Amino acid sequence: MKKIKDERLKLKNLKDIRVLFLIQTIGIVGILGYDFVTKGINGMTDNPLWFVFMVTAIVSAYLSMGISVDHESSDKSPKKGLAVSLAVTVFIAIVIGILTSLSEGIPAINGVLVGAIIFVCGFVPCIYVYRLRKKTNES
């Protein structure tokens, strides 16, 4: 195959890929929805399509972060943005951890574990966006 050099055709190709991705996602969600209705939540999450759907959603979110950072105005300080993001992440993790610990029938250690998991899940994207902003400001 020859590489496409015409910008119009590149844009058309990207739009076609977007439509294909949308149809594929609707198909996966439909299959998972059917599994949810017929087999319940455990049957849905046991399906290998669940893993594909989750990986696709995560990769899509990280790629969108890169585009969002490129679209931002460059006058934002990456360190200030990181500090605010981490403060919000810590606050959310602590609140959810405390609420989980205070729930009846759940051991307190589970609240700490849930809070730690939420913090790690928020920390990784914060660092990723910080590095993207830093790289954008340097160039």
Side-chain angles (χ1 to χ4, degrees):
M1 290 182 70
K2 290 173 37 176
K3 189 172 182 177
I4 299 173
K5 294 181 182 178
D6 185 3
E7 293 296 323
R8 261 182 331 108
L9 295 176
K10 284 182 183 179
L11 184 61
K12 174 80 170 115
N13 192 28
L14 288 173
K15 287 180 180 180
D16 291 348
I17 290 171
R18 183 176 62 183
V19 170
L20 291 172
F21 179 73
L22 180 66
I23 291 170
Q24 181 181 9
T25 302
I26 290 171
I28 290 173
V29 169
I31 292 168
L32 291 174
Y34 175 77
D35 278 351
F36 177 72
V37 170
T38 59
K39 301 174 188 171
I41 190 80
N42 288 335
M44 180 183 71
T45 56
D46 288 342
N47 190 333
L49 281 178
W50 177 256
F51 179 74
V52 171
F53 182 68
M54 286 294 108
V55 168
T56 303
I58 292 168
V59 169
S60 176
Y62 275 94
L63 292 174
S64 294
M65 281 186 225
I67 292 171
S68 296
V69 167
D70 287 341
H71 186 67
E72 289 178 345
S73 60
S74 61
D75 59 340
K76 291 184 178 182
S77 169
K79 289 182 182 179
K80 183 179 178 183
L82 177 64
V84 170
S85 298
L86 287 178
V88 170
T89 302
V90 167
F91 176 75
I92 291 172
I94 289 173
V95 167
I96 292 176
I98 290 172
L99 292 175
T100 304
S101 295
L102 296 177
S103 297
E104 207 170 301
I106 297 177
I109 191 70
N110 286 355
V112 173
L113 185 61
V114 167
I117 290 170
I118 289 181
F119 173 73
V120 169
C121 290
F123 179 75
V124 172
C126 289
I127 295 299
Y128 180 69
V129 169
Y130 168 73
R131 288 184 183 213
L132 288 174
R133 285 178 177 158
K134 189 175 173 184
K135 189 170 99 177
T136 302
N137 281 352
E138 288 175 357
S139 52

